[in-house]
Amino acid sequence: STWTFISHSTMNISKSGYRVFSANSTTACTELAKKITERLGVDLGKSVVYQESNRETRVDVKESVRGQDIFIIQTIPRDVNTAIMELLVMAYALKTNCAKNIIGVIPYFPYSKQCKMRKRGSIVCKLLASMLAKAGLTHIITMDLHQKEIQGFFSFPVDNLRASPFLLQYIQEEIPDYRNAIIVAKSPSAAKRAQSYAERLRLGLAVMHGEAQCSESDMADGRHSPPPMSSGRTTSGHPGLELPLMMAKEKPPITVVGDVGGRIAIIVDDIIDDVEDFVAAAEILKERGAYKIYIMATHGLLSAEAPRLIEESAIDEVVVTNTVPHEVQKLQCPKIKTVDVSMILAEAIRRIHNGESMAYLFRNITVDD
């Protein structure tokens, strides 16, 4: 009877064994991890992550992780590459110390914009996915990937949670008279996301297209830099072969499809980083008669001069979630507001550990969202 008692107690330990670590060396980045552990009612795992004097990343895990489910919460600060290295080293340390499962909680997945093939470039996002798998991750929880297809880069399960329920709730509770609003996509590529918001809030939809004349957004494509013609050698593969030439794009000046006059304009997007596009869009919406302009985005990267530009612009409020730390930017610009999404991340961690269905977190989410 003594023996059965011991075996039962050890079984319970293995069932309840999960730890939540943060792999960030900066304090601003551990804020989200602290919020999540508070909601779960557990302590943050004991580990030390630091940069040595020669800038090498060192990770010391200070407690046993053998046979446990380990969740690493990694928020991505300014210094993206250091954060990635911290995550890789932490995951590999846990793998080496016999953790059963290593689940990365990466609310904003870095390099997610580099997910398409460019001329003589590479798909960096796929490289990062392979590196994370190699380091020992067995599952990832993330939020609003830049493209949903990025999930296919991974060799293990990815849960791509949505922040839109929190942002929709903000619109309904914090924007007075939101029924007089119109959802705006600042480019045709953002139209699908905007449509999803418009249909859920039962509001109208406006789409902006074209570009500010003299914009350089397409210059990076390499199509304005044909290879120099080498003399004495035909560039085509065969002298008699004339391939049809792809016509160069000519974008019209910015136009707004949909009426925003006398409305509150709510621009929705997934990432707000360089704000020049948003500021330009806000100016045009103001000219077209919108009397208030909000911007809703999941990831507020807000790099470089973003806070100052927002402060000086026609934008009334920028609402982002706390997937990326932006306390410094908020001090520079009071127009930036934060919505806390730690609740859904904590629930995802709890469900994955307990082996419960994740479907509850994806209810009412369609293929297009």
Side-chain angles (χ1 to χ4, degrees):
S1 62
T2 325
W3 169 244
T4 53
F5 168 71
I6 293 169
S7 66
H8 277 297
S9 67
T10 49
M11 270 166 67
N12 286 345
I13 290 168
S14 68
K15 179 72 188 86
S16 67
Y18 82 102
R19 293 255 189 289
V20 181
F21 283 92
S22 172
N24 290 108
S25 53
T26 51
T27 45
C29 294
T30 52
E31 286 301 309
L32 183 62
K34 285 190 185 117
K35 282 189 171 147
I36 290 171
T37 49
E38 269 170 33
R39 285 184 185 275
L40 289 166
V42 298
D43 293 327
L44 201 55
K46 295 180 185 64
S47 65
V48 182
V49 182
Y50 61 98
Q51 258 65 109
E52 291 191 25
S53 49
N54 63 356
R55 302 293 293 150
E56 283 184 8
T57 299
R58 180 151 305 222
V59 173
D60 292 328
V61 179
K62 299 287 191 188
E63 55 185 302
S64 170
V65 295
R66 184 178 296 271
Q68 298 194 346
D69 290 338
I70 307 294
F71 295 85
I72 311 174
I73 298 170
Q74 185 69 333
T75 47
I76 306 293
R78 282 283 146 276
D79 191 355
V80 180
N81 298 333
T82 303
I84 289 169
M85 202 60 203
E86 287 166 353
L87 177 59
L88 291 167
V89 176
M90 170 75 89
Y92 193 59
L94 295 167
K95 179 186 180 184
T96 315
N97 291 309
C98 305
K100 184 169 82 177
N101 291 309
I102 303 166
I103 299 105
V105 182
I106 313 170
Y108 165 63
F109 195 78
Y111 285 97
S112 58
K113 281 191 165 178
Q114 298 192 43
C115 61
K116 289 193 168 75
M117 191 63 185
R118 289 260 180 212
K119 201 176 213 175
R120 300 186 197 91
S122 67
I123 303 174
V124 185
C125 200
K126 169 79 173 110
L127 170 67
L128 187 53
S130 313
M131 282 160 71
L132 290 169
K134 208 57 178 157
L137 262 76
T138 57
H139 194 138
I140 276 182
I141 302 170
T142 183
M143 284 201 102
D144 283 331
L145 285 169
H146 186 53
Q147 302 281 347
K148 293 190 297 296
E149 292 77 9
I150 290 173
Q151 293 174 81
F153 292 163
F154 294 88
S155 52
F156 48 74
V158 176
D159 285 311
N160 180 26
L161 303 173
R162 305 300 198 280
S164 47
F166 295 89
L167 295 171
L168 290 165
Q169 186 182 13
Y170 184 94
I171 292 171
Q172 289 172 314
E173 292 175 3
E174 304 293 329
I175 299 182
D177 203 19
Y178 84 90
R179 292 185 188 287
N180 187 34
I182 185 164
I183 305 292
V184 180
K186 73 168 176 57
S187 64
S189 57
K192 208 167 233 182
R193 184 180 302 273
Q195 182 191 2
S196 141
Y197 275 71
E199 287 173 359
R200 282 179 166 72
L201 292 165
R202 321 286 193 265
L203 296 175
L205 176 66
V207 180
M208 304 177 74
H209 76 107
E211 65 183 345
Q213 303 302 295
C214 83
S215 154
E216 302 207 345
S217 59
D218 277 330
M219 294 299 183
D221 223 354
R223 54 162 193 247
H224 294 288
S225 58
M229 292 290 185
S230 51
S231 54
R233 189 167 61 87
T234 51
T235 47
S236 58
H238 188 270
L241 188 66
E242 273 297 312
L243 290 173
L245 188 67
M246 175 66 107
M247 293 168 75
K249 276 185 190 172
E250 190 64 54
K251 285 201 175 175
I254 296 184
T255 47
V256 181
V257 182
D259 181 22
V260 296
R263 300 282 187 90
I264 300 170
I266 303 175
I267 303 176
V268 298
D269 217 331
D270 60 333
I271 298 170
I272 175 163
D273 187 0
D274 297 327
V275 292
E276 283 90 345
D277 291 356
F278 290 95
V279 170
E283 287 293 329
I284 283 158
L285 293 170
K286 264 274 190 291
E287 283 169 23
R288 300 288 160 96
Y291 69 91
K292 241 182 165 189
I293 293 162
Y294 289 83
I295 291 177
M296 298 272 160
T298 307
H299 310 294
L301 303 183
L302 303 164
S303 306
E305 293 288 289
R308 185 181 59 77
L309 292 170
I310 292 168
E311 195 54 39
E312 294 168 1
S313 73
I315 298 163
D316 291 286
E317 207 167 270
V318 173
V319 184
V320 290
T321 70
N322 57 345
T323 52
V324 178
H326 50 260
E327 290 309 310
V328 179
Q329 289 91 321
K330 282 179 81 171
L331 294 173
Q332 296 170 345
C333 173
K335 288 182 181 179
I336 299 168
K337 303 279 188 278
T338 312
V339 176
D340 181 24
V341 291
S342 60
M343 188 192 300
I344 195 168
L345 293 166
E347 182 61 12
I349 289 174
R350 195 190 64 73
R351 282 173 177 267
I352 285 173
H353 171 65
N354 293 336
E356 295 174 28
S357 165
M358 294 286 281
Y360 178 72
L361 302 181
F362 293 103
R363 63 199 186 286
N364 293 338
I365 287 174
T366 61
V367 180
D368 291 335
D369 290 336

